[in-house]
Amino acid sequence: REKERGARSERERETMSWTELTTFNAFDAYDDGIVRGFKSALLTESDYENLMQCNSLEDVKMFLQATDYGTFLSNVVELDPATIVEKATQRMVEEYNYLVGNAGETLSAYLDFLRHPYMIDNIVLVLSGTTRNDSSLSKLLEACHPMGMFEELLTVGVASTPKELYELVLIESPVGKYFRNFQFEDMHELKPELIRARLYKAYLEDFYDFCVTRCSPTTAEVMRDILNFEADRRAISTTLFAM
């Protein structure tokens, strides 16, 4: 009987895979081709070995010009590691936005979820900085990750308390729903890592529900394991941090 259930489950998975393939080209084939192109453009092991032989950042720039990175550093006059990271990140964001712009409805929503962790990190950074007067708003925004920038984040200056920040700014943001059950009166007493942990918990639960209810069975099966692992990893990290 156990073997029969296993065989039936395997047949069901094969049937679902074929069903997904019948509509794949109509909705996701173009983005699949884009991603395959991005993957083929990744630096290889031999490329990294050649980079290790470079004696200066100018040598690094010259070498990267011969790869798919092309001339992304061509307008940089004075090279330094921070600038290279900034330009590479900018290119990644541009490619991500291009991918989202050509995605279907479900894939576009899925890709939006991939940005939410960066948004959460940016919000926690700005929130902790403004409530503790650690730095000016402009400097805090400069430190934010480009993948996590959104329009509402630029208007955080209108709020003077964490509760006002939610009611006036974050409630309309892509991650505003993760703040609904937050006790803003206690936020001043919470460490940034604990605030981040609560937001990530709500995010992972939301992402899990989306994958199970709106994505294909294959995507749901793969993402279920990934999100379960991420939830366990963050739970362990939060526990160790609180000790």
Side-chain angles (χ1 to χ4, degrees), residues 88-108:
T89 303
Q90 180 181 344
R91 174 177 174 135
M92 179 190 72
V93 173
E94 291 173 353
E95 291 177 344
Y96 168 85
N97 289 335
Y98 181 74
L99 192 64
V100 173
N102 289 281
E105 181 181 357
T106 302
L107 180 57
S108 178

Side-chain angles (χ1 to χ4, degrees), residues 58-195:
E58 283 295 332
D59 291 342
V60 172
K61 178 180 177 180
M62 291 294 294
F63 175 80
L64 291 176
Q65 286 180 348
T67 69
D68 280 28
Y69 277 88
T71 58
F72 81 112
L73 294 173
S74 59
N75 296 325
V76 178
V77 179
E78 296 185 6
L79 275 177
D80 59 72
T83 301
I84 295 177
V85 171
E86 178 185 354
K87 292 296 183 181
T89 303
Q90 180 181 344
R91 174 177 174 135
M92 179 190 72
V93 173
E94 291 173 353
E95 291 177 344
Y96 168 85
N97 289 335
Y98 181 74
L99 192 64
V100 173
N102 289 281
E105 181 181 357
T106 302
L107 180 57
S108 178
Y110 175 90
L111 292 172
D112 283 339
F113 271 100
L114 302 184
R115 291 186 61 213
H116 289 181
Y118 296 99
M119 293 181 180
I120 291 173
D121 289 341
N122 285 352
I123 291 172
V124 173
L125 172 64
V126 172
L127 192 60
S128 60
T130 53
T131 55
R132 294 171 175 79
N133 297 317
D134 292 339
S135 184
S136 65
L137 178 59
S138 59
K139 290 184 178 180
L140 290 171
L141 292 176
E142 287 177 4
C144 289
H145 197 286
M147 277 286 286
M149 295 300 293
F150 53 96
E151 185 178 353
E152 292 83 0
L153 190 63
L154 303 178
T155 62
V156 296
V158 302
S160 57
T161 66
K163 187 174 182 180
E164 285 185 1
L165 180 65
Y166 170 71
E167 293 176 345
L168 301 177
V169 180
L170 297 180
I171 192 171
E172 297 296 337
S173 72
V175 293
K177 53 188 172 183
Y178 305 142
F179 286 86
R180 287 172 185 165
N181 298 321
F182 224 92
Q183 298 298 322
F184 294 96
E185 295 79 7
D186 302 331
M187 189 170 289
H188 288 283
E189 302 175 5
L190 290 176
K191 295 181 179 180
E193 284 303 318
L194 295 181
I195 297 175

